[in-house]
Each structure stands twice: as C-alpha cells, then as structure tokens.
Amino acid sequence: MKSKLKRMFQCQSCGYLSPKWLGKCPDCGEWNSFVEEKLDINLQKGKVTEISKPVSIASVELSVSDRLSTGIGELDRVLGGGVVRGALILIGGDPGIGKSTLLLQATDNMAKNYGKVLYVSGEESLSQIKLRAERLNISSENLFLLSETLVERIIECAEEQKPTLVVIDSIQTVYTEEAISAPGSVSQIRESAGKLMAFAKSYGVPVFLIGHVTKEGAIAGPRILEHLVDTVLYFEGDRGYAYRILRSVKNRFGPSNEIGVFEMTGAGLQEVENPSKIFLSEHAAISGAAITSTVEGTRAILTEIQALVTPSNFGMPRRNFIGVDYQRVNLLIAVLEKRGRVNLAGADIFVNVVGGLKITEPASDLAVISAIISSFRETPLPPRVVIFGEVGLSGEIRAVSGTELRLREASRIGMKGAIIPKGNFEGLKEKFNIEITAVESINELIEIIFN
Ligand code: TYD
Ligand code: MG
C-alpha cells in the first residue's frame, strides 16, 4: 500500500487531530497548542498482524519477573523493588533537576553488576557526558555511550549490542523516519516511544525514557506517553534546596505514589535513607510550626508545616501556600473561622511545607490548622508532638488511613506525643511508646492545645 501523506493539525499537549487549526483543543482544553503536521495516515490506522484468542485466566502462567537492582536503594524502592525486564519507564522532571545524573549513576552500577548498558544521549555530546562521569567517579567498561537521535538506528544498535538496559536521554530529542514532523512534536514522541516499547517487550530489555517537563508541569506530549509506558516517575524538588524527590505516579509493577529522597551533592545524587530526620532537622518549638506525618506510598515521613499569620496591610488579605493544596487550605481557613471562631478575615496567611515536599493528603489538615492557630495566637505547639487527621466542613476530625505507619515513624524519630482523630484511636491495635491524644473536633483541638 502506498502511504499517503496528509496535512493535519495536532494538539501538542494531548495529540488530538483536527483538519483545521483550532485555538483551543476540544479534547484537553489547552490553548494555542495546535501545530501543523504531515502525517502518514496509513501509520495512524494501525496494522492487525496476529489474531489474538481469549484465554482462561486460570491457564495464564505467571512469569516471575526477576528484577534488576539499580544499586540505588531509593530508586529501587520507587520502582517497586528494582527494574523489571522489558519495562518501559518514563522519568520526567524540570531541566537541571538531576535526571541525567541519576540515570548515569544507576547505569554505572548496573553495568558493573549485569554487563553492558547502553546510554543514548541526544542532548549532550559524548565529551560532556564524560565530564559529568568524571565528576561522579564513573568508569565502568560496560557502560556504552551513543550519541544518536534516530530511533531506528538506536534500536539497530541495541539489537546488535544486546545490552541489559537502555537509557534514552531524552525522548524529546529522538525522532523516527516514519513520522514527518519535527523532533519533539507529539507524533514523533509517540511513534518513537512506540518503537522503543516494541523493542523493550520483544527483547525483554528495560528501557528508561527521560522526558522534560514543560512550564505547565506536564511532560510534553504527556498523556500519550503516560498510558503507553509501564512506569512513570517524576523527579521533583526546588532548585533552591539540595533535596530531590523521586515519585512514582504510575507503576504497573509496584505501588504508585512511592517516593525516594535524594540529596544533590558535589559528587552526584546521594540517597537520603532517613528523610524524616532531614525535614525536621531545623525544627524549633516556635509559634506557627507543626509536625505532621504524611504517608507516601508504603512509608510515612515526618515533616514540618509552618504558618505565618499577620495583620494585613491591604484591603485584600494575601494567601500564599507552598507545598500544600491552595483550595484545600482556603477551605480549612473557612472552617476555622466558622466552626473554630478564629477571626482570620483581616489577616495575611502564609503556609509552607519545609524542605520542598509537596503534600497532597487531607491527613495533613489538622497540622495545617494547628500551625495557623498557633501563629495567630503566637503560642507554640507542644514540642515533639506529631499531628495528623482530616478536617471536615463542620469542623469534625475524620479518621485517616495508615495511622499505625505514621505513629511508628513518629516514635522511631523520637516524638513524645501525637494528636490524632478519635476514629483512629479507637481502632488502634498496636502499642506505641508515645502519648496519644484523640480529638473529635477542631474546638476540642483548640481546647486541648491552646487553653
Ligand atoms: P542534570 O542531571 O544534568 O539534570 P537533567 O538531566 O534533569 O536536566 O543535573 C544537572 C544539575 O545538577 C546541574 O545544575 C549541576 C548539578 N550537579 C551537581 O550539583 N552535582 C553533580 O555531581 C552533578 C553531576 C550535577
Ligand atoms: Mg539531562
């Protein structure tokens, strides 16, 4: 069949196709995202090669997926216990956050333990990579570098070399001959990733794809890649801090939302095995600081939430929150005013999670509220007390999951007390050597702590 080229406009955010240019994508709602692309329509249709037959679930054999260790404990844990053979793994993050550094360190370990590893870079020249490798003290003979951006040639090279692992740095720089548009466009990313996927699955070789995040916080062409790949990891962190957090947002081979904590040092990324200690290292019992325990994947991490409440000099009070959900904190402030009778109307309120961690759990509600009241009243919270619980609209404190995990971490770190929801207290099976106070409403909390 002769392939036909067709000019179409494609949304660079979600891949939606339109015969004419559109200002707003009807599918994902993105503005100004359409770019003209020449597409081979025969490619788009997909070819049926083999007819699949349904099989009984009982007859499906479980392949024991043996995992390869990356030699970096935190990375292994985020992956669910190491790299699964044949897995396609996407690592996204802002430029300069440390994606190349992390993978260079991991591939060096793997090259030492398992043999050949292929590191394909379309971004940096070989001498640039070598320079970085010197700094990281990397010298494995089995770590092979390839400077290439054509995906067909990358795969050809990999087929010939038979490495145990392939890294593509980055997916935005590779292109395939079969798509006509420019590298970095949605159709190029999708076609190239599809080819690498086929390679990974048919040879059982894991492939890491590095992806850059756009300003809006999504990997360019994100939705297309996120459902294609087996695992999606995001590397986050404030560049002002040395701490980096690697988070799994999707994982077909392990728990998602698991996090790994790293510190960027002069000699590359170092694992942080005890994150609670770090996030609390500078904690002092001053007003406006509350300690909470947040569950990330399979472990709990203790962190400090700070609030600053000051009288506003403007007609419109300022509300600025970092590391916590904006809507959620505004809701909590409203609950505090209405149910707790704390008058915050004329106050500027700032909330910050120390260390650059982003908390999405409602279990941190109680700590946020405690920090705000503490700053408002200029009264420090009791020292070495961890606070967690979800706050409802009527000011009630709701039970949260993972109580024992949170309390265990708190007692390990040396907390003396905990304030938790009554609902959790009643179901508590384990004994902890910390003093636990159960609260039912925010009024009760105010009563206990501040009066
Ligand atoms: P890099 O891995 O190049 O980021 P990405 O691939 O995500 O774009 O990281 C680059 C940053 O890390 C750069 O700002 C320098 C810093 N860095 C260190 O602080 N120490 C090191 O040992 C290395 C290799 C990099
Ligand atoms: Mg890089």
Side-chain angles (χ1 to χ4, degrees), residues 309-313 346-348:
V309 181
T310 54
S312 182
N313 292 322
D348 287 342

Side-chain angles (χ1 to χ4, degrees), residues 282-295:
E282 283 164 54
H283 174 74
I286 45 164
S287 67
I291 301 170
T292 193
S293 179
T294 166
V295 171

